[in-house]
């Protein structure tokens, strides 16, 4: 946001410096002060001022442009060191005296009341305050160069140039809300847990892909077979035939027929001489059994989330 101070008064010192500049000397602008005092409306009373009525902050001049004898001098107003908020009602433009080298008040300007909040976590405040001064033919105008000076472009970038609709604003601050930083714009916070993926032919911009965890399907396991085998403690015998567990001589001759003929019988409960023998295989029947293992796991989803640093993502919608 830019505050413009068009209505100004030259101080007595300012008039002297400007007259010398019209004769070829240099004007070196150094700082802009802001305050919440009420400036005198009488030009003669204003010309006698050597400072603001109620000074609050001082900022280095950051940009100067001259067009048709009119100079625009700007400074960035910030609240990063401000303990108590105030309304900007007055502004003072300072320059370096050609005679003493000291900083003196060149001009004062009335500013419509604009609130500057105190510093607070997540509260970022910036104004570009510009004072317009008629300097006529005094073209030798410069900025005092100091360690705290930073240069602005003549036409400051707008929010639409820096963050056009569709842009993403990233911050680690929980209370930093771009809807409040840039009033008049509309931002939506991305869903928690989302990460950025480069868009292209396969991944379309604005679409959601992937997940932080997923189940492992059988098709995702290695294409190998797992053998199982019992140990040799399975050594045992088998019956020769199912349901026939005895063999002997049938002394009843099967309940009839020639009594002189004795025949073999399987499964008879009255073998000859009450003798019977189980028909079993030999111990050479050592072998293995097939079967199933226990469950390999519990079927819990597999975590595929990479090592990350969490931040807040805001997407500009309007």
């Amino acid at each position: 946001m830019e505050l413009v101070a068009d209505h100004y008064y030259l101080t007595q010192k300012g008039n002297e410096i400007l007259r010398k500049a019209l004769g070829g000397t240099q004007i070196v602008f150094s700082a802009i002060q802001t305050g919440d005092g009420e400036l005198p409306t009488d030009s003669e009373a204003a010309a006698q001022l050597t400072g603001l009525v109620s000074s609050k902050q001082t900022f280095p001049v950051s940009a100067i442009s001259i067009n048709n004898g009119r100079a625009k001098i700007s400074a960035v107003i910030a609240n990063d060191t401000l303990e108590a908020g105030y309304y900007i009602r007055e502004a003072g433009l300072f320059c370096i005296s050609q005679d003493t080298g000291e900083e003196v008040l060149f001009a004062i300007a009335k500013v419509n009341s604009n609130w500057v909040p105190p510093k607070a976590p997540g509260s970022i405040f910036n104004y570009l305050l510009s004072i317009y001064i008629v300097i006529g033919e005094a073209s030798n105008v410069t900025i005092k160069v100091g360690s705290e000076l930073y240069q602005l472009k003549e036409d400051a970038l707008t929010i639409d140039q820096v963050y056009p609709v569709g842009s993403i604003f990233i911050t680690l601050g929980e209370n930093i809300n771009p809807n409040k930083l840039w009033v008049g714009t509309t931002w939506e916070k991305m869903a928690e847990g989302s990460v950025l993926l480069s868009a292209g032919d396969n991944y379309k911009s604005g679409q959601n892909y992937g997940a932080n965890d997923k189940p492992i399907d059988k098709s995702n396991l290695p294409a190998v077979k797992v053998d199982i085998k019992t140990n040799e403690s399975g050594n045992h015998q088998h019956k020769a035939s199912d349901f026939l567990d005895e063999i002997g001589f049938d002394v009843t001759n099967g309940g009839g027929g020639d009594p002189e003929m004795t025949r073999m019988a399987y499964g008879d409960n009255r073998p000859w001489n009450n003798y019977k023998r189980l028909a079993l295989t030999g111990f050479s029947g050592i072998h293995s059994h097939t079967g199933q293992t226990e469950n390999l796991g519990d079927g819990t989803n597999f975590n595929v989330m990479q090592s990350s640093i969490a931040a807040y993502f805001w997407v500009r919608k309007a």
Side-chain angles (χ1 to χ4, degrees), residues 18-60:
L18 181 57
R19 284 198 302 269
K20 290 181 181 180
L22 291 173
T25 61
Q26 184 183 50
I27 301 179
V28 180
F29 290 113
S30 56
I32 289 180
Q33 273 187 14
T34 57
D36 61 356
E38 293 291 342
L39 292 174
T41 57
D42 179 69
S43 60
E44 291 185 6
Q48 299 302 315
L49 292 176
T50 57
L52 294 184
V53 176
S54 178
S55 177
K56 294 297 182 183
Q57 291 181 287
T58 302
F59 305 96

Side-chain angles (χ1 to χ4, degrees), residues 19 69 87 103 133 172 177 184 201 208 219 223 228 247 316:
R19 284 198 302 269
Y87 284 96
E103 195 170 57
I133 303 289
L172 297 178
N177 186 336
D201 294 335
N208 295 321
S219 61
I228 62 171
I247 184 172
R316 186 177 176 189

Side-chain angles (χ1 to χ4, degrees), residues 162-184:
V162 179
Y163 288 110
V165 174
S167 298
I168 294 177
F169 174 74
I170 303 175
T171 177
L172 297 178
E174 181 178 0
N175 297 320
I176 297 178
N177 186 336
N179 292 291
K180 297 180 179 179
L181 292 181
W182 298 289
V183 177

Side-chain angles (χ1 to χ4, degrees), residues 2 62-67 70-75 128 130-132 143 150-158 161:
E2 183 178 15
S62 54
I64 293 178
S65 62
I66 300 174
N67 186 23
R70 194 166 185 248
K72 174 184 176 183
I73 301 101
S74 303
L128 183 65
S130 299
I131 300 177
Y132 287 84
I143 302 173
Y150 59 94
Q151 188 69 34
L152 295 179
K153 293 183 65 175
E154 166 56 22
D155 295 319
L157 293 175
T158 66
Q161 292 172 306

